[in-house]
Amino acid sequence: MNKRITNILLVGVGGQGILLAAEILSETMLLAGFDVKKSEIHGMSQRGGSVVSHVRYGAEVFSPIVPEGEGDILFGFELMETYRSLSLLKPGGAVVTNDLRIAPPSVLMGQEPYPEGLTDRIRARFPDLLLLDGQKLASEAGNVRAANTVLLGAVSRRLDIDEHYWLQAIEKMVPKKALEVNKKAFLLGRASDWSKP
């Protein structure tokens, strides 16, 4: 087995299903035979605060924290949180982000505007960008709350892991009543085209 460690960062705000996505991602890598380490930072996540999850996998992983500037993939659930986390990526890293804006309290209180042009700013620094309308695809799958699984499907395209491991992990981690919607959402995300600008 290759000794390389792959570093993935999941960022967004509380309530977006980031922790479940990190669990499914980690479980998939375990099923595929890798050593996996995961950690999370979610201070005020239940009130819409930032959430960051680190997932590292490889033949042998000693630390759960992705060192700054060494992320291979930034997996963003909200545009501003994605932009704020770009420093975690290594040069040439890939970004998968949801085309979603969630206004933080300072914007809601009128203290400052939500930043404009974030997609262009992300692409200027990291051209390997996939921007998805996760909510739209999740609605097509049957539940807008499955946007996290849509994004996970898109990320799966960049990782050389057989599809059956992903579906097996989803079956293990998602409650039965939401299973079919999440499997469909995952496959819609997996069908996303990275080649589109």
Side-chain angles (χ1 to χ4, degrees):
M1 184 179 283
N2 188 331
K3 291 188 175 183
R4 181 180 184 280
I5 295 173
T6 301
N7 297 315
I8 303 173
L9 296 139
L10 299 85
V11 300
V13 300
Q16 290 193 283
I18 297 165
L19 301 184
L20 176 61
E23 289 287 335
I24 294 170
L25 176 59
S26 299
E27 183 65 23
T28 300
M29 299 312 160
L30 284 171
L31 290 169
F34 292 102
D35 185 25
V36 182
K37 297 287 186 292
K38 176 174 73 72
S39 69
E40 297 151 357
I41 301 168
H42 45 97
M44 296 292 283
S45 60
Q46 292 182 341
R47 296 186 180 190
S50 297
V51 177
V52 180
S53 184
H54 298 227
V55 176
R56 308 183 77 207
Y57 72 90
E60 192 170 25
V61 182
F62 295 105
S63 169
I65 304 295
V66 177
E68 185 153 338
E70 294 188 23
D72 294 290
I73 297 177
L74 179 61
F75 178 4
F77 291 69
E78 194 276 336
L79 274 175
M80 188 157 58
E81 292 298 327
T82 302
Y83 182 75
R84 287 169 19 135
S85 302
L86 291 178
S87 64
L88 298 171
L89 267 183
K90 69 181 184 184
V95 179
V96 176
T97 188
N98 197 8
D99 189 10
L100 176 69
R101 297 173 178 206
I102 298 176
S106 61
V107 172
L108 292 174
M109 292 188 299
Q111 295 173 342
E112 56 189 332
Y114 190 97
E116 294 295 325
L118 288 178
T119 303
D120 290 339
R121 289 196 236 173
I122 294 170
R123 185 173 284 118
R125 290 178 60 187
F126 292 93
D128 191 3
L129 167 68
L130 176 61
L131 180 70
L132 283 180
D133 188 339
Q135 272 59 33
K136 180 182 174 194
L137 291 172
S139 292
E140 287 177 24
N143 189 332
V144 71
R145 295 183 65 180
N148 59 341
T149 318
V150 168
L151 297 167
L152 190 62
V155 168
S156 76
R157 291 282 304 275
R158 280 305 176 97
L159 304 170
D160 189 21
I161 304 296
D162 196 278
E163 184 175 290
H164 82 272
Y165 290 121
W166 293 96
L167 294 173
Q168 193 178 340
I170 290 170
E171 287 175 7
K172 187 172 179 181
M173 308 305 292
V174 172
K176 280 189 177 180
K177 65 181 181 182
L179 182 58
E180 289 310 312
V181 166
N182 277 276
K183 285 168 75 174
K184 188 173 179 183
F186 173 82
L187 293 172
L188 284 171
R190 192 166 168 82
S192 301
D193 186 357
W194 278 82
S195 64
K196 288 184 179 176

